Amino acid sequence: IYVRQGTYFEQISIPTSSIQLKAFDNERPLIDGQRKREYGICDTQEAAIENVSIEGFEIANQTRMGICLSHRENKGAIIRGNVIHHIVVRGVDVRGARHRIEENIIYMIGNDQESMGIRLAGAEDCVIENNDVFLCRKTAIRDQTGKRNLIQSNLMHECWTGLDLNSSSGAKVFNNVIYNNCQGANPKHVTGSAGWNRLWHNTFYGNHGPHISIAVNRATGDEGPGPDCDYLDIRNNILLKCGATHIWNKPDIVGEHLVIDGNLYHGPPGWPPFFYHTQWPRSGRPGLKSSADVRRRTPFMSTGVDCDPNLIDPDGGNFDYPVDSPASKGGAALDSPFGNQLGARG
């Protein structure tokens, strides 16, 4: 179904599989919720649907979600090239498996306490790629209780948190730029039931608090014993210009399967005030002030560098680095499409 340019004051329901909704060539029809309809495009929740496509729309002014595919058995949706904005709760929210969410622009998602640009709600084997997600009250992209999802080559900025891994397992977070948020990434309650959670080859820049906050708190109702957060691998990232600390960790609730190594760190002289912290960074309690301190007093950061990667123009939106950058030498050779790449490129 090709949809022509125009404003459509309605809510679209997809009741069956293999429906492809596409904007006509070089046009962008608007589905306008007028701040009174809950959804822009959604499933009926009555039966699972497969192989659905939603491509090229502008979706705005819904009271709950722009696009919502909520049946747990949905499979193979493609959500591509849409502009989704001014939604109260979430821009895109999906359950099921093998979905692709790519090349969307999602912004102004709020003002609900759980407002998010993209949420994978127990979804598995999905690809979230090449999206630009910003100005969300809580989180740009969240993988919540998902398994084996790939979150790759996205921009996440101007949110409370750029990336949430919440009870995820086997997540692969590669080649993203996470910048100018209150905190960069927040992996918590993660497990290894479907493999390690890997934060590799990402660039963190200008986040106002911690770049990466590990564990933070226990899951509601989990009183222990044992770890609340485990099987987390943080390598080959670039972490620059943060406001409080590069890494905030809660070792009392984190398991033994935690790798923090091979990253590049940099900040203005004397900043951030702490390099690594195990207390809330603004608590006034001391943390470790250098990578050398971290190496001496923790099992982390045996490799990695402290240097300026000379990003081309990060404040203007170019987070790449030139060929003569120290980052061009690379880091560890990792089992990903990006090999030994340090930080995000492209």
Side-chain angles (χ1 to χ4, degrees), residues 308-312 318-330 342 345:
D308 189 345
N310 300 314
L311 300 187
I312 294 171
N318 189 340
F319 295 89
D320 208 348
Y321 44 82
V323 293
D324 59 352
S325 166
S328 294
K329 297 177 182 178
L342 271 177
R345 310 207 68 179

Side-chain angles (χ1 to χ4, degrees), residues 131-179:
N131 300 282
D132 186 359
V133 188
F134 56 101
L135 293 174
C136 305
R137 178 179 176 179
K138 187 162 189 178
T139 307
I141 300 176
R142 171 177 281 194
D143 181 350
Q144 186 163 344
T145 67
K147 294 182 179 179
R148 299 176 300 274
N149 292 312
L150 172 64
I151 300 171
Q152 179 171 289
S153 301
N154 302 281
L155 300 174
M156 304 174 224
H157 51 114
E158 279 84 37
C159 302
W160 171 255
T161 305
L163 171 76
D164 272 342
L165 298 181
N166 191 329
S167 307
S168 311
S169 181
K172 294 183 288 187
V173 181
F174 299 159
N175 203 57
N176 302 280
V177 181
I178 302 174
Y179 66 103

Side-chain angles (χ1 to χ4, degrees), residues 221-242:
D222 181 4
E223 303 302 327
D228 179 81
C229 179
D230 212 350
Y231 291 93
L232 179 61
D233 185 338
I234 301 170
R235 284 187 285 171
N236 283 28
N237 301 285
I238 291 176
L239 298 92
L240 301 177
K241 196 181 175 184
C242 67

Side-chain angles (χ1 to χ4, degrees), residues 188-234:
K188 60 182 181 179
H189 323 313
V190 298
T191 73
S193 62
W196 282 72
N197 298 278
R198 298 169 178 172
L199 274 70
W200 293 351
H201 319 288
N202 303 286
T203 294
F204 295 84
Y205 179 87
N207 296 298
H208 305 300
H211 277 321
I212 302 175
S213 301
I214 300 171
V216 184
N217 53 32
R218 281 192 176 274
T220 301
D222 181 4
E223 303 302 327
D228 179 81
C229 179
D230 212 350
Y231 291 93
L232 179 61
D233 185 338
I234 301 170

Side-chain angles (χ1 to χ4, degrees), residues 4-24:
R4 297 302 304 260
Q5 186 78 26
T7 301
Y8 297 83
F9 298 111
E10 55 186 300
Q11 176 173 303
I12 311 302
S13 295
I14 300 178
T16 188
S17 297
S18 302
I19 297 293
Q20 298 179 4
L21 290 174
K22 297 184 179 182
F24 196 78

Side-chain angles (χ1 to χ4, degrees), residues 92-149:
V92 175
D93 192 277
V94 297
R95 299 178 187 269
R98 302 197 303 274
H99 306 309
R100 296 191 68 91
I101 302 172
E102 55 192 15
E103 300 174 18
N104 302 284
I105 299 172
I106 302 173
Y107 64 97
M108 289 299 288
I109 308 300
N111 198 16
D112 183 84
Q113 183 176 343
E114 296 296 312
S115 295
M116 301 170 193
I118 298 172
R119 185 180 74 149
L120 303 176
E124 302 180 2
D125 302 306
C126 297
V127 176
I128 313 300
E129 188 170 23
N130 292 325
N131 300 282
D132 186 359
V133 188
F134 56 101
L135 293 174
C136 305
R137 178 179 176 179
K138 187 162 189 178
T139 307
I141 300 176
R142 171 177 281 194
D143 181 350
Q144 186 163 344
T145 67
K147 294 182 179 179
R148 299 176 300 274
N149 292 312

Side-chain angles (χ1 to χ4, degrees), residues 61-107:
N61 301 319
Q62 284 73 32
T63 62
R64 286 188 56 77
M65 302 176 194
I67 297 174
C68 178
L69 303 178
S70 61
H71 198 285
R72 295 180 182 276
E73 300 301 321
N74 289 336
K75 293 183 175 64
I78 296 174
I79 300 171
R80 177 188 293 137
N82 302 285
V83 178
I84 303 171
H85 61 95
H86 290 86
I87 313 290
V88 174
V89 183
R90 283 184 275 279
V92 175
D93 192 277
V94 297
R95 299 178 187 269
R98 302 197 303 274
H99 306 309
R100 296 191 68 91
I101 302 172
E102 55 192 15
E103 300 174 18
N104 302 284
I105 299 172
I106 302 173
Y107 64 97

